[in-house]
Amino acid sequence: MSFQTFTFYAFATILVFAALRVITTRNPVHAALWLVLSFFTAAGIWLLLQAEFLAIALVLVYVGAVMVLFLFVVMMLDVNFGSMRQHFRSYLPAAAAVGILVFFEMALVILGSAVGPVAGAPAAPAGSNTQALGVLLYVDYVYPFEIAAVVLLVAIVAAIALTHRKRREMKHQDASAQIRARASERVRLVRMPSEKPPV
Amino acid sequence: MSMTELLAPLQSAMGAWWLPVWTIVKVVVIAVPLIIAVAYLTYAERKVIGWMQVRIGPNRVGPLGLLQPFADTLKMLFKEIVVPSGASRALFFVAPILSLAPALAAWAVIPFTGTLVLSNINAGLLYLLAMSSLGIYGVIIAGWASNSKYAFLGCLRSAAQIVSYEIAMGFALVGVLMAANSLNLSDIVAGQEGGAAHWYVWPLFPLFVVYLVSGIAETNRHPFDVAEGESEIVAGFHVEYSGIMFALFFLAEYMNMILIAALTSTMFLGGWLSPFPILNEVDVFGVHPFGDGMLWLAVKWALVLLIFLWIRATFPRYRYDQIMRLGWKVFIPVTLVWIVFIGAMMQTRYAGLFH
């Protein structure tokens, strides 16, 4: 067994275990952390495929940013497990149907391509993977990519505009006014006769 | 007889396992001096701040107090580890490891000289960004697993701060990769060849300042150390940690400081290149002691680290809302404007100045 095969099986085992723990653990914070572990391991498997840009982007975006915010929210919520599990049984038929459907679809894909590398898949581009991706995104498909970016930006602005409201009772500090303040405006020096000495 | 020839029999004996074993040897060769450097950085910090405040600093253990870091470590090792009641036990023990591991892992791609680097990967800059964004997990988990209000407040503050400053840091690095046309750290240094005037610190000066200050904020150092503000929330996220587990957090913080210093010198200050190319000609008994090499790298690290200590001894702690304002409303706009500016300048006949 080569070291690469060993690495793949090690990562795969950890990934499957972590993914199972995400849905079986009782504590939501633990579940989020297991999800972090499964993202990280998936990135390791992508690295074995020499997709270094995608792997690092997965760690950077999902592990480094998205999951941090997830954890942030989950940690501050006071989740009541009793009420959460109440409807578990009533959701079971729908969830089982979706799960079986997903299982069959994936089985079709995997059996259709047989196990092992897909025949006719293009070889990894020579040189830097990142550069090849950059050419694809910013030269070949620059307009679709930019339009997608603008759509995302509009979504962000819309989300903020919908939820943001001016809170009148809040007291704000104007930083530039604070910096512009001079001692002469704030302190008034008064000249006055000293008190009479005690008799 | 070269090193490779010497190791050839060993290599053939181990077969497929040679690569992992040899990599681990290299990792140890990098990590052990680094940990010693951390020990002496704590010593240097106490000495330098002592001199700045007209004190002597540690001078009791060993000559000039040089054994002080080892005395501290021994003391930490023998202290009891107290696990708070109601703490999430497993996570409580994992947190210090999670904060130290990314700090160490990032060193894999740092080039020490043109040929001396553990992993010369093409996406080195991206890898560094990814690793530095992972350090936050140690802080968050420590704060949550401690089951303490102070620790939790500290971890929330720190998480918000690190997430905010990472954006400014990432944009500063975008400027570097535009100038260097590469994500590979060795190529970035090679692009600054030709003396101090060719270093990226000049065309990218605003980004350099943003990067350095964000680096201080990212490592939770003074004056941005609200995550452990002693006067407000005792010691922040590691308030419940004692003994060697506290020492691990300490180690991670100083390791990150050295990492930021290494990155600043690699990306803006010409890495291992000497500031005056003429020094490459100086010949002492057949070697070039003042030419490009580790010596200059060490000098640059030491200078950046001195700036860290200097800032710590000089400025009072920022208020929390001021930190957020600086990150979001000052640094991010500055980096965005400068990226557009250098992008535009690269299309003019002054493009040579920005490469």
Side-chain angles (χ1 to χ4, degrees):
Chain A
M1 186 164 70
S2 76
F3 185 68
Q4 208 168 4
T5 332
F6 169 77
T7 321
F8 171 76
Y9 281 113
F11 276 143
T13 317
I14 297 172
L15 176 57
V16 171
F17 178 72
L20 279 176
R21 289 300 286 158
V22 174
I23 50 170
T24 53
T25 188
R26 287 174 176 280
N27 190 323
V29 173
H30 290 186
L33 288 171
W34 283 114
L35 191 55
V36 169
L37 179 62
S38 48
F39 277 142
F40 197 78
T41 331
I45 291 179
W46 286 4
L47 268 185
L48 286 178
L49 287 172
Q50 301 184 339
E52 81 261 9
F53 181 82
L54 283 180
I56 296 176
L58 178 71
V59 172
L60 189 60
V61 176
Y62 280 92
V63 179
V66 174
M67 286 314 290
V68 171
L69 298 180
F70 242 81
L71 262 181
F72 220 91
V73 175
V74 169
M75 280 191 321
M76 287 199 285
L77 289 178
D78 194 14
V79 187
N80 185 355
F81 299 106
S83 65
M84 261 176 73
R85 285 173 194 282
Q86 228 167 21
H87 306 291
F88 190 72
R89 269 166 202 276
S90 57
Y91 289 134
L92 193 61
V98 172
I100 290 168
L101 204 61
V102 170
F103 179 80
F104 271 109
E105 282 178 359
M106 285 185 72
L108 278 179
V109 171
I110 292 170
L111 291 178
S113 65
V115 182
V118 187
S128 168
N129 194 302
T130 316
Q131 206 163 4
L133 227 115
V135 169
L136 220 54
L137 282 183
Y138 290 100
V139 180
D140 296 355
Y141 296 101
V142 62
Y143 290 118
F145 183 71
E146 292 297 327
I147 290 171
V150 171
V151 170
L152 265 178
L153 182 69
V154 170
I156 295 171
V157 173
I160 294 173
L162 284 176
T163 53
H164 187 74
R165 60 201 160 88
K166 269 240 159 24
R167 291 171 65 181
R168 296 193 184 285
E169 75 276 17
M170 281 256 286
K171 286 180 179 165
H172 285 286
Q173 281 156 334
D174 185 357
S176 57
Q178 287 180 329
I179 294 166
R180 269 186 279 113
R182 293 284 166 268
S184 55
E185 301 163 10
R186 299 293 167 93
V187 182
R188 193 160 51 93
L189 290 178
V190 186
R191 182 177 291 277
M192 55 189 288
S194 54
E195 281 184 51
K196 263 186 262 175
V199 187
Chain B
M1 201 161 159
S2 75
M3 189 82 174
T4 13
E5 288 170 42
L6 263 171
L7 291 167
L10 203 62
Q11 187 172 359
S12 56
M14 291 173 79
W17 291 89
W18 166 253
L19 185 68
V21 170
W22 182 231
T23 310
I24 289 173
V25 171
K26 287 189 206 165
V27 167
V28 171
V29 169
I30 294 177
V32 170
L34 205 60
I35 289 171
I36 296 174
V38 166
Y40 278 96
L41 179 59
T42 62
Y43 171 78
E45 176 170 38
R46 294 166 70 177
K47 272 288 189 199
V48 168
I49 293 180
W51 290 327
M52 284 179 184
Q53 298 168 347
V54 205
R55 294 184 285 114
I56 296 173
N59 68 343
R60 291 290 126 174
V61 192
L64 298 171
L66 274 171
L67 294 178
Q68 183 71 43
F70 297 104
D72 290 342
T73 317
L74 269 181
K75 188 193 91 170
M76 293 286 194
L77 269 174
F78 286 114
K79 284 210 163 184
E80 185 189 355
I81 294 173
V82 184
V83 182
S85 60
S88 179
R89 236 186 125 81
L91 288 181
F92 188 78
F93 282 106
V94 163
I97 301 168
L98 275 184
S99 75
L100 182 62
L104 268 173
W107 283 89
V109 293
I110 303 282
F112 295 96
T113 67
T115 51
L116 200 63
V117 50
L118 177 61
S119 170
N120 194 8
I121 59 173
N122 278 323
L125 211 55
L126 265 178
Y127 171 83
L128 277 172
L129 269 179
M131 281 304 131
S132 61
S133 70
L134 287 184
I136 186 173
Y137 279 101
V139 174
I140 293 190
I141 294 174
W144 184 78
S146 298
N147 191 29
S148 151
K149 293 279 189 295
Y150 286 128
F152 192 59
L153 281 173
C155 100
L156 289 185
R157 282 182 174 196
S158 164
Q161 182 182 334
I162 293 178
V163 168
S164 318
Y165 276 86
E166 220 164 59
I167 302 168
M169 249 175 141
F171 276 133
L173 297 189
V174 168
V176 174
L177 83 91
M178 280 171 79
N181 263 332
S182 172
L183 282 168
N184 182 313
L185 290 169
S186 302
D187 289 350
I188 289 173
V189 176
Q192 307 179 55
E193 197 111 54
H198 293 258
W199 292 353
Y200 290 149
V201 60
W202 308 121
L204 307 176
F205 191 73
L207 299 185
F208 169 71
V209 175
V210 167
Y211 186 80
L212 197 62
V213 179
S214 306
I216 298 173
E218 182 97 347
T219 48
N220 273 330
R221 294 282 304 169
H222 254 279
F224 300 100
D225 66 338
V226 288
E228 44 182 282
E230 300 95 325
S231 51
E232 300 156 20
I233 49 173
V234 200
F237 60 90
H238 55 53
V239 65
E240 302 290 350
Y241 282 86
S242 59
I244 199 65
M245 303 215 342
F246 168 74
L248 282 184
F249 278 118
F250 211 67
L251 193 63
E253 180 181 330
Y254 281 77
M255 197 84 85
N256 273 323
M257 268 171 77
I258 303 184
L259 182 69
I260 297 288
L263 288 180
T264 313
S265 25
T266 304
M267 290 185 298
F268 295 101
L269 302 174
W272 63 81
L273 302 172
S274 83
F276 310 106
I278 193 113
L279 285 175
N280 285 327
E281 315 293 322
V282 178
D283 195 316
V284 185
F285 305 119
V287 289
H288 304 280
F290 303 112
D292 303 340
M294 293 265 277
L295 172 75
W296 285 110
L297 200 59
V299 168
K300 287 164 190 172
W301 291 7
L303 274 177
V304 178
L305 286 171
L306 180 67
I307 294 176
F308 270 60
L309 305 184
W310 192 0
I311 288 176
R312 177 178 169 178
T314 311
F315 293 115
R317 187 175 294 134
Y318 256 89
R319 212 172 57 205
Y320 191 73
D321 62 315
Q322 290 172 333
I323 291 183
M324 284 299 156
R325 180 179 167 270
L326 184 71
W328 286 99
K329 294 190 173 171
V330 180
F331 280 177
I332 293 177
V334 164
T335 50
L336 281 176
V337 166
W338 202 255
I339 286 171
V340 173
F341 175 72
I342 50 177
M345 289 305 278
M346 277 172 183
Q347 307 305 319
T348 66
R349 60 198 170 94
Y350 302 109
L353 291 175
F354 292 89
H355 274 298

